[in-house]
Amino acid sequence: MPRGRYSLHDPHDHTPLGEEHFHCAPGPSGWRYVSQITTPDGGHRGSVDLAVDELGRPIRLELHAASWQVRGAALDGVTWVRTDPTGTQATEGNVRAHAFTGTSPAFLVGLTRLLRLTPDSPETRVRLVAFTDPVLAPLTVDQSWALLRSEAHATDNGPLMVDEYQVSALDTGERHTVHITGDVVLAAPGIELEALETPPSVFP
């Protein structure tokens, strides 16, 4: 069960946004990721609980941030309920999308489980519902993903396979890279792995 800590920052001006303390693990029905997010001064900022099935579909998502809460799952695309701080104005949403996304590294790992790309796969287009900080407002985004290369890197515990993905935002044309090994994100825009207590899980 990988357990560790990511640092989060604004991908444009690199302003520190805090840290995400996580643990995750594959199981008989898929993969689950749980984290607590802190502010730069150590205060509580939110939490993430994402479970995907063996095909990578989000079967349960629960997000908390700034007293807002989102619960969602893959149902007729993706479906969610977003609750305001008072609990009086819960709103439901549904979009014909493949999965959810947001600032947490969990969404990147979950999406790679869904796409199952290989280096010779064509660029794959996906529609996602992003929950944007700080109030988890939903936003539909279109991206294309390609696996550029998979390379083995030597470590004290043996070789580690690192996948390098190219992600393109289809509305702006902006491109960036994401590096993932197993179920741990090594680096992505706004995300850096700072500490890892146990090795990443290896998916079959």
Side-chain angles (χ1 to χ4, degrees):
M1 178 186 291
R3 184 182 297 270
R5 172 172 51 87
Y6 294 106
S7 63
L8 307 177
H9 56 267
D10 187 294
H12 302 290
D13 64 13
H14 302 290
T15 301
L17 299 177
E19 294 185 330
E20 187 159 339
H21 301 257
F22 74 95
H23 62 272
C24 56
S29 60
W31 177 76
R32 187 178 179 198
Y33 176 102
V34 177
S35 71
Q36 297 291 324
I37 304 168
T38 59
T39 61
D41 60 5
H44 180 71
R45 189 162 74 89
S47 63
V48 177
D49 188 340
L50 173 67
V52 301
D53 67 11
E54 58 189 5
L55 298 178
R57 296 171 300 194
I59 54 176
R60 192 184 73 249
L61 171 68
E62 186 166 329
L63 300 176
H64 292 266
S67 300
W68 292 85
Q69 175 181 294
V70 166
R71 290 183 175 176
L75 185 66
D76 295 328
V78 293
T79 299
W80 69 92
V81 175
R82 176 174 173 266
T83 307
D84 65 293
T86 63
T88 59
Q89 297 182 16
T91 55
E92 295 185 11
N94 171 263
V95 171
R96 289 284 182 183
H98 298 87
F100 299 109
T101 191
T103 55
S104 174
F107 296 112
L108 300 175
V109 176
L111 188 55
T112 61
R113 300 304 303 149
L114 180 70
L115 297 178
R116 305 291 172 97
L117 298 176
T118 62
D120 55 358
S121 299
E123 279 197 52
T124 300
R125 177 173 175 157
V126 289
R127 172 159 288 183
L128 307 169
V129 172
F131 293 106
T132 58
D133 291 334
V135 294
L136 303 179
L139 175 69
T140 303
V141 298
D142 292 302
Q143 297 177 342
S144 70
W145 280 66
L147 177 57
L148 299 181
R149 60 187 63 86
S150 295
E151 295 181 338
H153 291 255
T155 71
D156 294 340
N157 298 316
L160 203 61
M161 289 301 298
V162 177
D163 296 326
E164 180 182 346
Y165 294 89
Q166 179 176 272
V167 184
S168 303
L170 296 182
D171 56 345
T172 65
E174 183 179 4
R175 290 186 168 186
H176 61 265
T177 55
V178 173
H179 293 85
I180 294 177
T181 177
D183 55 357
V184 173
V185 176
L186 297 178
I191 299 166
E192 294 290 341
L193 180 65
E194 298 291 348
L196 186 63
E197 296 177 14
T198 44
S201 304
V202 177
F203 291 109

